[in-house]
mmCIF file of all heavy atoms in Angstrom:
data_model
loop_
_atom_site.group_PDB
_atom_site.id
_atom_site.type_symbol
_atom_site.label_atom_id
_atom_site.label_comp_id
_atom_site.label_asym_id
_atom_site.label_seq_id
_atom_site.Cartn_x
_atom_site.Cartn_y
_atom_site.Cartn_z
ATOM 1 N N HIS A 452 -8.959 -23.856 -3.923
ATOM 2 C CA HIS A 452 -10.417 -23.914 -3.884
ATOM 3 C C HIS A 452 -10.840 -25.338 -4.170
ATOM 4 O O HIS A 452 -10.031 -26.147 -4.632
ATOM 5 C CB HIS A 452 -11.063 -22.901 -4.831
ATOM 6 C CG HIS A 452 -10.613 -23.022 -6.264
ATOM 7 N ND1 HIS A 452 -10.729 -24.177 -6.995
ATOM 8 C CD2 HIS A 452 -10.012 -22.131 -7.074
ATOM 9 C CE1 HIS A 452 -10.255 -23.975 -8.195
ATOM 10 N NE2 HIS A 452 -9.796 -22.754 -8.258
ATOM 11 N N PRO A 453 -12.078 -25.672 -3.886
ATOM 12 C CA PRO A 453 -12.467 -27.092 -3.919
ATOM 13 C C PRO A 453 -12.562 -27.696 -5.315
ATOM 14 O O PRO A 453 -12.893 -28.864 -5.445
ATOM 15 C CB PRO A 453 -13.837 -27.102 -3.222
ATOM 16 C CG PRO A 453 -14.293 -25.713 -3.160
ATOM 17 C CD PRO A 453 -13.134 -24.806 -3.366
ATOM 18 N N PHE A 454 -12.240 -26.931 -6.352
ATOM 19 C CA PHE A 454 -12.333 -27.474 -7.713
ATOM 20 C C PHE A 454 -10.958 -27.815 -8.274
ATOM 21 O O PHE A 454 -10.810 -28.148 -9.439
ATOM 22 C CB PHE A 454 -13.051 -26.448 -8.609
ATOM 23 C CG PHE A 454 -14.215 -25.813 -7.914
ATOM 24 C CD1 PHE A 454 -14.167 -24.501 -7.482
ATOM 25 C CD2 PHE A 454 -15.340 -26.577 -7.614
ATOM 26 C CE1 PHE A 454 -15.229 -23.935 -6.801
ATOM 27 C CE2 PHE A 454 -16.412 -26.009 -6.921
ATOM 28 C CZ PHE A 454 -16.364 -24.691 -6.508
ATOM 29 N N THR A 455 -9.958 -27.675 -7.401
ATOM 30 C CA THR A 455 -8.584 -27.943 -7.808
ATOM 31 C C THR A 455 -8.338 -29.438 -7.992
ATOM 32 O O THR A 455 -8.708 -30.242 -7.125
ATOM 33 C CB THR A 455 -7.633 -27.408 -6.724
ATOM 34 O OG1 THR A 455 -7.863 -26.009 -6.574
ATOM 35 C CG2 THR A 455 -6.195 -27.660 -7.072
ATOM 36 N N ALA A 456 -7.701 -29.789 -9.084
ATOM 37 C CA ALA A 456 -7.433 -31.200 -9.353
ATOM 38 C C ALA A 456 -6.168 -31.653 -8.641
ATOM 39 O O ALA A 456 -5.158 -30.938 -8.656
ATOM 40 C CB ALA A 456 -7.280 -31.411 -10.861
ATOM 41 N N PRO A 457 -6.235 -32.839 -8.021
ATOM 42 C CA PRO A 457 -5.009 -33.399 -7.453
ATOM 43 C C PRO A 457 -4.093 -33.890 -8.570
ATOM 44 O O PRO A 457 -4.539 -34.102 -9.695
ATOM 45 C CB PRO A 457 -5.510 -34.580 -6.619
ATOM 46 C CG PRO A 457 -6.813 -34.958 -7.236
ATOM 47 C CD PRO A 457 -7.395 -33.717 -7.836
ATOM 48 N N ARG A 458 -2.809 -34.043 -8.260
ATOM 49 C CA ARG A 458 -1.929 -34.673 -9.234
ATOM 50 C C ARG A 458 -2.419 -36.099 -9.424
ATOM 51 O O ARG A 458 -2.830 -36.751 -8.452
ATOM 52 C CB ARG A 458 -0.484 -34.704 -8.718
ATOM 53 C CG ARG A 458 0.106 -33.321 -8.501
ATOM 54 C CD ARG A 458 1.592 -33.407 -8.300
ATOM 55 N NE ARG A 458 1.948 -34.402 -7.296
ATOM 56 C CZ ARG A 458 3.172 -34.885 -7.102
ATOM 57 N NH1 ARG A 458 4.165 -34.449 -7.835
ATOM 58 N NH2 ARG A 458 3.407 -35.782 -6.169
ATOM 59 N N PRO A 459 -2.362 -36.607 -10.648
ATOM 60 C CA PRO A 459 -2.902 -37.952 -10.899
ATOM 61 C C PRO A 459 -2.321 -38.999 -9.945
ATOM 62 O O PRO A 459 -3.043 -39.852 -9.420
ATOM 63 C CB PRO A 459 -2.492 -38.233 -12.344
ATOM 64 C CG PRO A 459 -2.277 -36.890 -12.961
ATOM 65 C CD PRO A 459 -1.847 -35.967 -11.870
ATOM 66 N N GLN A 460 -1.019 -38.890 -9.676
ATOM 67 C CA GLN A 460 -0.376 -39.898 -8.817
ATOM 68 C C GLN A 460 -0.793 -39.756 -7.352
ATOM 69 O O GLN A 460 -0.466 -40.614 -6.535
ATOM 70 C CB GLN A 460 1.159 -39.832 -8.957
ATOM 71 C CG GLN A 460 1.807 -38.529 -8.531
ATOM 72 C CD GLN A 460 1.967 -37.547 -9.680
ATOM 73 O OE1 GLN A 460 1.053 -37.347 -10.482
ATOM 74 N NE2 GLN A 460 3.129 -36.929 -9.766
ATOM 75 N N ASP A 461 -1.496 -38.673 -7.019
ATOM 76 C CA ASP A 461 -1.890 -38.463 -5.622
ATOM 77 C C ASP A 461 -3.358 -38.763 -5.362
ATOM 78 O O ASP A 461 -3.830 -38.634 -4.230
ATOM 79 C CB ASP A 461 -1.607 -37.010 -5.203
ATOM 80 C CG ASP A 461 -0.112 -36.725 -5.098
ATOM 81 O OD1 ASP A 461 0.669 -37.700 -5.129
ATOM 82 O OD2 ASP A 461 0.255 -35.548 -5.001
ATOM 83 N N ILE A 462 -4.087 -39.143 -6.407
ATOM 84 C CA ILE A 462 -5.536 -39.337 -6.243
ATOM 85 C C ILE A 462 -5.838 -40.368 -5.168
ATOM 86 O O ILE A 462 -6.741 -40.187 -4.344
ATOM 87 C CB ILE A 462 -6.199 -39.727 -7.585
ATOM 88 C CG1 ILE A 462 -6.238 -38.499 -8.501
ATOM 89 C CG2 ILE A 462 -7.611 -40.264 -7.369
ATOM 90 C CD1 ILE A 462 -6.830 -38.742 -9.862
ATOM 91 N N GLU A 463 -5.017 -41.420 -5.121
ATOM 92 C CA GLU A 463 -5.290 -42.459 -4.123
ATOM 93 C C GLU A 463 -5.080 -41.945 -2.697
ATOM 94 O O GLU A 463 -5.674 -42.439 -1.748
ATOM 95 C CB GLU A 463 -4.427 -43.701 -4.389
ATOM 96 C CG GLU A 463 -2.949 -43.400 -4.396
ATOM 97 C CD GLU A 463 -2.142 -44.600 -4.900
ATOM 98 O OE1 GLU A 463 -2.663 -45.325 -5.790
ATOM 99 O OE2 GLU A 463 -1.023 -44.794 -4.403
ATOM 100 N N LYS A 464 -4.244 -40.899 -2.556
ATOM 101 C CA LYS A 464 -3.999 -40.349 -1.222
ATOM 102 C C LYS A 464 -5.182 -39.537 -0.705
ATOM 103 O O LYS A 464 -5.188 -39.123 0.463
ATOM 104 C CB LYS A 464 -2.756 -39.451 -1.242
ATOM 105 C CG LYS A 464 -1.460 -40.213 -1.432
ATOM 106 C CD LYS A 464 -0.265 -39.274 -1.315
ATOM 107 C CE LYS A 464 1.005 -39.924 -1.859
ATOM 108 N NZ LYS A 464 1.928 -38.922 -2.395
ATOM 109 N N LEU A 465 -6.157 -39.248 -1.584
ATOM 110 C CA LEU A 465 -7.336 -38.501 -1.148
ATOM 111 C C LEU A 465 -7.960 -39.191 0.057
ATOM 112 O O LEU A 465 -8.434 -38.538 0.984
ATOM 113 C CB LEU A 465 -8.371 -38.422 -2.278
ATOM 114 C CG LEU A 465 -8.140 -37.351 -3.347
ATOM 115 C CD1 LEU A 465 -9.200 -37.462 -4.427
ATOM 116 C CD2 LEU A 465 -8.138 -35.958 -2.747
ATOM 117 N N GLN A 466 -7.967 -40.518 0.022
ATOM 118 C CA GLN A 466 -8.551 -41.272 1.124
ATOM 119 C C GLN A 466 -7.526 -41.498 2.236
ATOM 120 O O GLN A 466 -7.776 -41.196 3.388
ATOM 121 C CB GLN A 466 -9.027 -42.656 0.632
ATOM 122 C CG GLN A 466 -9.898 -42.621 -0.599
ATOM 123 C CD GLN A 466 -11.282 -42.081 -0.313
ATOM 124 O OE1 GLN A 466 -11.711 -42.013 0.836
ATOM 125 N NE2 GLN A 466 -11.995 -41.668 -1.362
ATOM 126 N N SER A 467 -6.361 -41.989 1.820
ATOM 127 C CA SER A 467 -5.414 -42.488 2.812
ATOM 128 C C SER A 467 -4.674 -41.380 3.550
ATOM 129 O O SER A 467 -4.457 -41.463 4.754
ATOM 130 C CB SER A 467 -4.399 -43.403 2.122
ATOM 131 O OG SER A 467 -3.739 -42.696 1.078
#
Side-chain angles (χ1 to χ4, degrees):
Chain A
H452 56 57
F454 319 108
T455 301
R458 297 193 310 166
Q460 62 268 45
D461 290 348
I462 287 179
E463 57 190 34
K464 290 185 195 151
L465 279 177
Q466 310 288 343
S467 57

